[in-house]
Amino acid sequence: MKALLVLALSSLCATAMADEVPTDVAQQQPAVEEYTYSTHLDIAEIISMSEVPDVCEVVPMKMEYNDSKGQRHILRYSVMGNGCSNG
């Protein structure tokens, strides 16, 4: 009976700890913002940008940056791929 109680309590603790992990990660990772023509951009430092693929179509891109207040942002926008030829 004691072993069953210990097993139940340990699984409850593991579940509680598993619930806390995504919350901590969600607080560290900013929400992805969609770019529109009316989006005000306050970019002080670019952290990373995704690579433009060699395809001839519109592709989604992401840019992670810090604004002038030091807050981190992730911006999603679209660009034309590098795979189109002009001839």
Side-chain angles (χ1 to χ4, degrees):
M1 188 68 168
K2 288 182 181 179
L4 184 59
L5 180 62
V6 169
L7 181 62
L9 287 176
S10 64
S11 67
L12 179 64
C13 290
T15 304
M17 290 176 68
D19 286 344
E20 291 178 13
V21 172
T23 304
D24 293 339
V25 172
Q27 290 175 351
Q28 296 172 355
Q29 187 73 355
V32 176
E33 305 166 25
E34 293 289 334
Y35 175 79
T36 64
Y37 289 117
S38 63
T39 301
H40 172 71
L41 297 176
D42 177 16
I43 301 172
E45 177 186 15
I46 295 175
I47 306 302
S48 66
M49 291 179 65
S50 54
E51 298 266 339
V52 179
D54 288 329
V55 296
C56 189
E57 61 183 308
V58 176
V59 293
M61 301 287 290
K62 278 188 183 178
M63 177 175 59
E64 189 169 345
Y65 67 94
N66 289 336
D67 64 14
S68 60
K69 297 177 185 174
Q71 293 182 337
R72 177 100 14 131
H73 298 268
I74 299 175
L75 185 68
R76 185 180 308 149
Y77 58 99
S78 298
V79 299
M80 191 66 180
N82 289 332
C84 299
S85 65
N86 291 334

